[in-house]
C-alpha cells in the first residue's frame, strides 16, 4: 500500500521533503548528512531514498531509490507521485 511507503530525502531535495510531509508521508531529511549515513539509515528503516546524486545511485541496490530528474520542486513532486504510485488523500494532509 502506498501509504506505508517511507522516504529518506537527500540534501538536494529539501523542498520535496517538505511537500511529502505535507501530503502525510513519513519522510526524513537532514541537510547535513553523509551519504553513507543516509543510506544506512534508509535501508535500516525500510525507506526509499530520493536523490539527485548520480554518484550515490550507482552505489544503491535496485528498488531502494528514486532518482529525481528535475530541479523544480513541483516537477519533483509530480515525478515522485507518478513513479511511486503515491496517493494524495485529503485525510492524510498535514498528518
Amino acid at each position: 500500500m502506498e501509504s506505508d511507503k517511507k522516504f529518506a530525502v537527500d540534501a538536494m531535495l529539501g523542498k520535496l521533503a517538505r511537500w511529502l510531509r505535507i501530503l502525510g508521508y513519513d519522510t526524513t531529511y537532514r541537510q547535513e548528512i553523509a551519504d553513507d549515513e543516509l543510506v544506512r539509515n534508509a535501508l535500516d528503516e525500510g525507506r526509499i531514498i530520493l536523490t539527485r546524486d548520480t554518484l550515490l545511485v550507482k552505489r544503491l541496490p535496485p528498488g531502494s531509490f528514486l532518482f529525481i530528474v528535475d530541479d523544480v520542486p513541483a516537477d519533483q513532486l509530480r515525478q515522485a507521485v507518478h513513479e511511486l504510485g503515491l496517493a494524495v488523500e485529503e485525510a492524510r494532509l498535514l498528518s
Side-chain angles (χ1 to χ4, degrees):
M1 175 190 294
E2 66 275 344
S3 63
D4 294 336
K5 291 182 179 175
K6 300 186 299 185
F7 305 102
V9 178
D10 78 6
M12 295 182 222
L13 297 170
K15 290 180 182 174
L16 176 59
R18 184 176 317 141
W19 278 107
L20 288 169
R21 289 174 178 161
I22 289 169
L23 294 178
Y25 286 95
D26 183 346
T27 304
T28 61
Y29 169 78
R30 284 181 33 208
Q31 194 170 26
E32 305 278 333
I33 188 170
D35 286 350
D36 290 339
E37 185 179 358
L38 172 72
V39 171
R40 184 176 54 254
N41 292 346
L43 296 178
D44 287 349
E45 297 172 10
R47 295 181 182 276
I48 298 169
I49 298 170
L50 304 179
T51 185
R52 288 191 39 79
D53 186 337
T54 56
L55 297 177
L56 178 61
V57 297
K58 292 178 182 179
R59 302 177 12 211
L60 296 173
S64 67
F65 69 92
L66 174 63
F67 180 76
I68 301 295
V69 296
D70 210 293
D71 288 329
V72 178
D75 293 334
Q76 294 169 350
L77 181 61
R78 192 173 297 112
Q79 178 189 355
V81 166
H82 175 72
E83 291 191 31
L84 297 169
L86 304 180
V88 178
E89 301 169 7
E90 188 174 335
R92 297 187 65 201
L93 294 177
L94 302 172
S95 64

